[in-house]
């Protein structure tokens, strides 16, 4: 058996032993590099996988290999980078441990010329089935900017890694000598700059700045929906760059077809290259992200706690990080003795990650249910406290959970004025700052909403 066949044997046996998601996540991009002197070298795509293999799969792999190579004594896992030739990874292990101070320091190191933040790299971007299309597309763009996918349009929900991927792409492209002029911007920033340029009569300068780029990266392009002047400028900037084969990368919280109030000609430009989505990570990937982040931050948190966080926080990677920080801090203060239930409590604040799955109807029904009031009494003119309070909380939740406009919130409760809605939301928000029982109350209502 040659080493390819041998590895194939290992793969087929592993596939039977572990879950399909685990298998897909960890065994993609692996191979046997060499077998010599009773020692096998297994290639894995990154340092994180290396650690994971050594801790999780080593025994099994060893057993399977040993079944085929009788005198096998040792297995080493070696990082060789992914299958993307754009990223031949360094052979030496890059330090995953960085302390918090260094991270903060990096935070402020945004490059003035490119607006890129060096903390976002491909090395610290974890790839799983939820984002592999977007990742692969970005890698292709790095290899052949302006040639393969132009524009590259990445979309996905809040906190799933769009900005990270865009910036990592920019940082990688910035290492190329032939690309002098790379710029990352947010669509909102671009729009503000445009307004200033119009006011300050410096449009020529503004145009020159963006149309002379080698790579333009524009984040959160959905922002330009309904903004005619900005759309026009994006359109002309796009055309000017595109004609010169300059790479353009966009991100958005939704696909081009779903961005409201956007000109057709612009939409068709967005759709003219490659559109790749980023989904929400599955449990295994969430756990992988948590592990990577905690080692990056130099935190020492046990697997059970990480797995508990991964269970509670189901979507957003930003929240995952926030939850990790919070748990780490509390765990530290408590002498590393937190249990599962403690963690549940700590993670309450983060349950808002379920936000997207509710509707005004569900919120109002939950209020009706919890406070045992009639739907109609929420809309009545009555100012009785037993109705006013639930109504205010309902308004607050409609605003907080769904970001409804104040006029539309007022409208829902017997056509009240928007100022009433504003007043209610402010009042509840203020009270929440130091009213524990109200916090608890709202938490219960939320449980009903998202239950
Ligand atoms: P978005 O722009 O989609 O709202 P971000 O790119 O800001 O999301 O990501 C939120 C946080 O999660 C950032 O701190 C980012 O570094 C981290 N993150 C997102 N995706 C990944 C990933 N695949 N691997 C590691 N960290 C990630
Ligand atoms: Mg973003």
């Amino acid at each position: 058996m040659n080493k390819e066949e041998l590895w194939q044997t290992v793969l087929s046996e592993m596939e039977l032993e572990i879950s399909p998601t685990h298998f897909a996540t960890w065994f993609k991009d692996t191979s046997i590099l060499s077998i010599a002197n009773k020692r096998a070298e297994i290639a894995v795509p990154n340092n994180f996988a290396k650690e994971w293999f050594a801790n999780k799969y080593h025994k099994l792999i060893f057993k399977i290999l040993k079944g085929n190579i009788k005198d096998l004594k040792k297995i080493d896992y070696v990082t060789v980078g992914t299958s993307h030739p754009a990223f031949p990874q360094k052979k030496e292990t890059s330090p995953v441990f960085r302390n918090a101070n260094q991270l903060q320091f990096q935070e402020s190191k945004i490059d003035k010329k490119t607006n890129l933040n060096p903390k976002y790299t491909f090395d610290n971007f974890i790839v799983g089935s939820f984002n592999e299309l977007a990742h692969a597309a970005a890698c292709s763009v790095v290899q052949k900017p302006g040639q393969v996918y132009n524009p590259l349009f990445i979309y996905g929900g809040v906190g799933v890694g769009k900005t990270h991927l865009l910036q990592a792409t920019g940082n990688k492209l910035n290492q190329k000598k032939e690309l002098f002029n790379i710029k990352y911007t947010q669509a909102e920033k671009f729009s503000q700059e445009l307004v200033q340029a119009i006011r300050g009569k410096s449009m020529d300068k503004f145009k020159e700045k963006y149309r002379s780029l080698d790579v333009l990266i524009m984040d959160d392009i959905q922002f330009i929906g309904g903004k005619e002047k900005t759309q026009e400028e994006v359109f002309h900037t796009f055309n000017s760059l595109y004609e010169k084969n300059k790479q353009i990368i966009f991100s958005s919280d939704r696909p081009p077809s779903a961005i409201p109030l956007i000109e057709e000609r612009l939409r068709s430009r967005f759709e003219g290259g490659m559109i790749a989505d980023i989904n929400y990570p599955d449990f295994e990937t969430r756990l992988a992200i948590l592990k990577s982040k905690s080692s990056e931050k130099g935190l020492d948190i046990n697997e059970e706690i990480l797995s508990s966080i991964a269970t509670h926080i189901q979507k957003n990677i930003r929240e995952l990080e926030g939850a990790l920080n919070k748990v780490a801090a509390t765990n530290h203060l408590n002498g590393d003795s937190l249990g599962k239930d403690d963690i549940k409590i700590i993670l309450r604040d983060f349950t808002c990650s379920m936000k997207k799955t509710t509707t005004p109807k569900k919120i109002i029904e939950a209020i009706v249910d919890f406070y045992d009031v009639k739907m109609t009494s929420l809309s009545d003119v009555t100012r009785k406290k037993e109705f006013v309070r639930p109504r205010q909380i309902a308004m607050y939740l409609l605003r907080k959970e769904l970001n409804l406009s104040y006029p539309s919130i007022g409208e829902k409760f017997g056509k009240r004025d928007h100022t009433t809605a504003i007043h209610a939301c402010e009042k509840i928000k203020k009270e929440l700052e130091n009213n524990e029982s109200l916090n608890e109350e709202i938490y219960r209502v939320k449980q009903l909403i998202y239950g």
Side-chain angles (χ1 to χ4, degrees):
M1 225 189 281
N2 65 25
K3 57 185 193 218
E4 282 77 28
E5 289 163 344
L6 192 55
W7 190 238
Q8 214 44 58
T9 315
V10 174
L11 291 184
S12 38
E13 289 198 35
M14 286 305 294
E15 203 171 359
L16 298 175
E17 295 283 343
I18 63 179
S19 81
T21 357
H22 268 273
F23 185 75
T25 309
W26 297 108
F27 284 84
K28 208 178 52 176
D29 298 322
T30 56
S31 62
I32 295 185
L33 274 184
S34 68
I35 302 170
N37 305 327
K38 305 177 184 175
R39 171 174 170 264
E41 263 191 328
I42 314 274
V44 295
N46 52 51
N47 285 321
F48 187 59
K50 181 171 154 180
E51 201 180 304
W52 190 273
F53 270 82
N55 293 328
K56 288 271 177 185
Y57 299 136
H58 178 71
K59 265 194 191 150
L60 260 172
I61 295 175
F62 190 83
K63 201 175 117 201
I64 303 167
L65 278 179
K66 179 100 178 150
N68 293 280
I69 314 168
K70 292 284 167 290
D71 61 349
L72 184 71
K73 284 265 155 20
K74 190 164 186 269
I75 298 181
D76 286 319
Y77 300 92
V78 183
T79 314
V80 294
T82 62
S83 56
H84 306 288
F87 304 106
Q89 291 199 347
K90 302 145 251 140
K91 270 279 188 291
E92 79 276 18
T93 48
S94 66
V96 254
F97 288 90
R98 252 184 273 143
N99 64 35
N101 291 339
Q102 267 174 309
L103 276 181
Q104 272 165 10
F105 178 55
Q106 289 205 340
E107 212 93 57
S108 57
K109 267 192 3 194
I110 296 174
D111 185 292
K112 289 239 165 50
K113 178 164 168 257
T114 62
N115 294 329
L116 288 166
N117 187 333
K119 79 168 181 170
Y120 295 112
T121 65
F122 276 100
D123 285 341
N124 60 15
F125 188 77
I126 289 174
V127 185
S129 54
F130 74 111
N131 63 5
E132 66 184 345
L133 177 65
H135 174 258
C139 291
S140 304
V141 162
V142 168
Q143 272 184 298
K144 293 190 167 156
Q147 291 175 51
V148 273
Y149 301 132
N150 209 10
L152 171 60
F153 192 102
I154 306 242
Y155 76 90
V158 178
V160 294
K162 303 182 296 294
T163 297
H164 190 138
L165 186 58
L166 258 58
Q167 292 245 5
T169 309
N171 281 320
K172 197 84 192 174
L173 286 169
N174 204 23
Q175 292 170 7
K176 300 195 172 213
K177 282 197 294 295
E178 69 274 22
L179 303 175
F180 298 110
N181 214 347
I182 296 180
K183 202 168 284 300
Y184 166 89
T185 184
Q186 278 146 347
E188 188 173 1
K189 269 255 183 68
F190 180 87
S191 182
Q192 287 165 357
E193 246 183 81
L194 172 65
V195 171
Q196 278 164 10
I198 295 171
R199 282 209 195 114
K201 305 205 166 31
S202 53
M203 268 311 280
D204 287 346
K205 222 174 118 198
F206 178 85
K207 283 182 184 165
E208 167 63 19
K209 174 174 165 186
Y210 283 97
R211 296 182 193 183
S212 64
L213 290 173
D214 293 316
V215 178
L216 171 63
I217 303 174
M218 202 179 277
D219 210 349
D220 291 317
I221 192 73
Q222 78 277 356
F223 173 84
I224 70 171
K227 305 203 166 46
E228 276 172 37
K229 192 73 198 155
T230 309
Q231 287 187 30
E232 192 186 328
E233 200 49 39
V234 170
F235 179 75
H236 292 299
T237 307
F238 179 96
N239 287 347
S240 164
L241 294 175
Y242 186 82
E243 277 164 17
K244 292 178 278 184
N245 290 329
K246 303 298 187 185
Q247 181 69 46
I248 306 136
I249 308 175
F250 294 111
S251 87
S252 160
D253 65 354
R254 62 201 87 182
S257 58
I259 303 177
L261 302 176
I262 194 160
E263 286 177 51
E264 204 39 51
R265 58 177 188 172
L266 205 45
R267 194 191 312 279
S268 75
R269 293 294 187 283
F270 292 160
E271 288 171 342
M274 167 78 166
I275 302 181
D277 66 332
I278 303 185
N279 268 296
Y280 291 106
D282 59 23
F283 174 79
E284 275 78 25
T285 317
R286 293 201 296 276
L287 187 57
I289 289 169
L290 285 170
K291 288 193 145 192
S292 150
K293 298 272 171 197
S294 62
S295 75
E296 195 177 275
K297 292 175 206 274
L299 303 172
D300 182 23
I301 302 183
N302 71 40
E303 167 111 21
E304 196 191 0
I305 293 185
L306 293 183
S307 138
S308 180
I309 300 176
T311 310
H312 280 85
I313 310 292
Q314 305 209 334
K315 290 197 165 169
N316 189 318
I317 298 171
R318 188 176 298 130
E319 283 176 3
L320 216 49
E321 257 192 296
L324 175 68
N325 290 338
K326 187 163 177 185
V327 169
T330 322
N331 193 36
H332 185 67
L333 289 176
N334 287 281
D336 299 329
S337 64
L338 291 189
K340 270 195 177 152
D341 289 337
D342 304 318
I343 290 175
K344 242 190 223 162
I345 295 170
I346 299 171
L347 296 181
R348 261 186 205 171
D349 290 355
F350 290 90
T351 45
C352 56
S353 60
M354 293 177 276
K355 211 176 281 187
K356 289 281 179 300
T357 62
T358 194
T359 60
K361 187 160 167 270
K362 272 195 197 158
I363 291 181
I364 293 172
E365 278 170 3
I367 293 281
V368 166
D369 190 6
F370 186 83
Y371 293 99
D372 198 18
V373 289
K374 285 215 189 69
M375 193 85 84
T376 47
S377 35
L378 289 178
S379 302
D380 277 354
V381 282
T382 172
R383 296 191 57 87
K384 276 197 200 137
K385 190 156 184 264
E386 62 199 280
F387 302 126
V388 172
R389 184 74 169 174
R391 186 192 299 135
Q392 286 177 337
I393 293 178
M395 288 178 159
Y396 169 80
L397 287 172
L398 286 172
R399 178 71 185 176
K400 175 128 188 299
E401 302 300 296
L402 293 169
N403 208 14
L404 291 195
S405 73
Y406 291 118
S408 76
I409 294 174
E411 182 80 8
K412 287 199 184 322
F413 299 90
K415 297 199 174 3
R416 285 179 156 76
D417 191 67
H418 71 279
T419 52
T420 312
I422 295 177
H423 172 73
C425 295
E426 290 302 318
K427 183 159 186 289
I428 299 295
K429 199 166 130 197
K430 188 131 206 329
E431 234 180 282
L432 276 172
E433 282 166 17
N434 36 35
N435 181 341
E436 259 311 302
S437 78
L438 180 62
N439 270 297
E440 187 63 30
E441 207 168 300
I442 290 187
Y443 175 67
R444 296 258 178 75
V445 177
K446 278 198 196 169
Q447 279 184 321
L448 284 179
I449 298 173
Y450 296 112

